[in-house]
Structure formats: structure tokens, C-alpha cells
Amino acid sequence: MSETSPADSAVIARSRQEPEAFGEIFRRHAAEIKRFVIRRLGLDVAEDVVAETFLAAFHQRGRYDLARPNALPWLYGIATNLIGRHKRTEARQLNLLARTGVDPVTEPFTPRSDERLSAQAVQQRLAAALVALPAGHRDVLLLVTWGGLSYAEAAEALGIRVGTVRSRVNRARAKIREELGGTDPTALVIEEVRHG
């Protein structure tokens, strides 16, 4: 969105009278939502979940809070709820990452090297730790780390209080740190995103 582009809330408001205007929300945010869904569920179901996310958002646009200029947290919330319907697929995807260390988002673009092999080993351990987390903790942690949402945006996305987000992120990080032998999981995820 450029400085001259209207806020998401303005686009959604217009789409209530001109439904085709909602396509702009898709153009702005579909790629980011798709990357998040691919990481959680894999490429096979990502297209369907992204389509379902934007279809649900389109149907819910009349209830969107126009005081919120950025629709991304709302879209992440819808996607996260839809991902919840695919828990077995998510567990298989995280177990695959744990076994292979291959991230489906970054793998096609990352050249083979010793550095990549080392990163894959870390990703394997991280994925195994992620799959062991309770779903609510994993959702919050991945919205903040992979989705890049602030605590307030994650709270908005999931319809929970910011304090609950903080608590779940802290518990998830502590559990993952324990599983990784004291390594800070935030540094691993941020490093993965930077190099991915």
C-alpha cells in the first residue's frame, strides 16, 4: 500500500457498496497470508485455505471494524481459524520440517550450502518443539514470529486480550527454549526469516 492508497478500512467500506472493490484487499495481502499458511500446512492445501480466508473475509466485511485501518490482523485471524480445521495437516507439516529441515517457503529459493544444512538442523529441532506446543500457544507464537504481527495485532487476530498473547508467547518461548537446550527460539525464527 503506497502513501496515496486508501487504508484497508476505506477499501472494505467501499466494498460494502461496490463488492468488486474487495479485490484490492486480496491484492494487498494474499501473498503474505499464503506464505503463513504454507508454513503451517504446506503447499498442498495452502491455495484452498487462502481462498477460504478471503471468501470468509468477503462475507464478513459488513462486520469489519472500520476503526482499524489495517485488515492484516483480521485476515490472519480468519486464516488461523481455518488452519485450526487442518490440525492433522499442520502436525504432518511440522513433523516433515522436523525430519527434513526443509522449509516449504524458503526451500525453492535457497541455494545448497553448509550454512543451509546447518539452518535445516536448527529448523528440524524447532519444528519438533513447535508441534509439541498447545495449539493456542503455537498460533500466537507463529502469528508474532512468522506472521510478523505485534502482540496487539495477534490479540486482535485471535479475539483475545493482549495479556493472554504475552503470556502464551512467553510460555511458548520458554517451552521451546527448554526443548532446544537453552537456545533462544526467537533468535532462531528471526534468523530463519532473515535468511529465508
Side-chain angles (χ1 to χ4, degrees):
M1 183 170 73
S2 71
E3 287 188 32
T4 59
S5 296
D8 291 344
S9 57
V11 174
I12 292 170
R14 190 175 54 147
S15 77
R16 291 173 179 173
Q17 303 304 316
E18 304 168 28
E20 65 278 0
F22 195 81
E24 179 62 23
I25 299 299
F26 180 84
R27 282 187 288 285
R28 289 178 183 181
H29 301 299
E32 192 167 344
I33 296 296
K34 184 177 179 181
R35 282 190 298 274
F36 181 71
V37 174
I38 288 171
R39 279 203 162 125
R40 302 276 311 259
L41 299 176
L43 194 54
D44 292 342
V45 297
E47 295 281 340
D48 291 339
V49 172
V50 171
E52 289 176 50
T53 298
F54 283 92
L55 182 61
F58 179 78
H59 289 299
Q60 296 172 24
R61 73 190 191 284
R63 295 189 311 263
Y64 182 77
D65 180 359
L66 297 175
R68 299 181 188 277
N70 182 4
L72 196 55
W74 176 59
L75 295 168
Y76 271 118
I78 294 169
T80 298
N81 287 336
L82 292 170
I83 287 167
R85 297 181 187 166
H86 297 272
K87 289 297 181 193
R88 284 191 298 262
T89 303
E90 181 182 34
R92 277 195 307 273
Q93 185 66 24
L94 288 171
N95 285 324
L96 178 66
L97 179 58
R99 282 193 316 277
T100 67
V102 176
D103 183 334
V105 173
T106 61
E107 193 275 331
F109 307 105
T110 308
R112 288 263 174 210
S113 69
D114 290 340
E115 182 179 298
R116 178 174 175 207
L117 294 175
S118 174
Q120 284 179 346
V122 170
Q123 286 178 336
Q124 288 173 303
R125 292 175 31 225
L126 179 59
L130 284 171
V131 82
L133 290 176
H137 291 69
R138 184 172 52 244
D139 287 344
V140 168
L141 183 67
L142 296 181
L143 282 170
V144 170
T145 55
W146 287 354
L149 297 185
S150 68
Y151 286 6
E153 290 169 331
E156 179 186 334
L158 297 173
I160 59 179
R161 295 191 330 237
V162 174
T164 303
V165 170
R166 279 191 178 90
S167 173
R168 288 181 182 177
V169 167
N170 286 336
R171 287 184 185 131
R173 285 180 175 157
K175 180 71 173 157
I176 290 175
R177 187 176 295 118
E178 178 184 313
E179 294 287 326
L180 298 178
T183 304
D184 179 10
T186 307
L188 295 176
V189 174
I190 291 170
E191 196 63 26
E192 170 198 341
V193 170
R194 279 193 196 125
H195 289 98

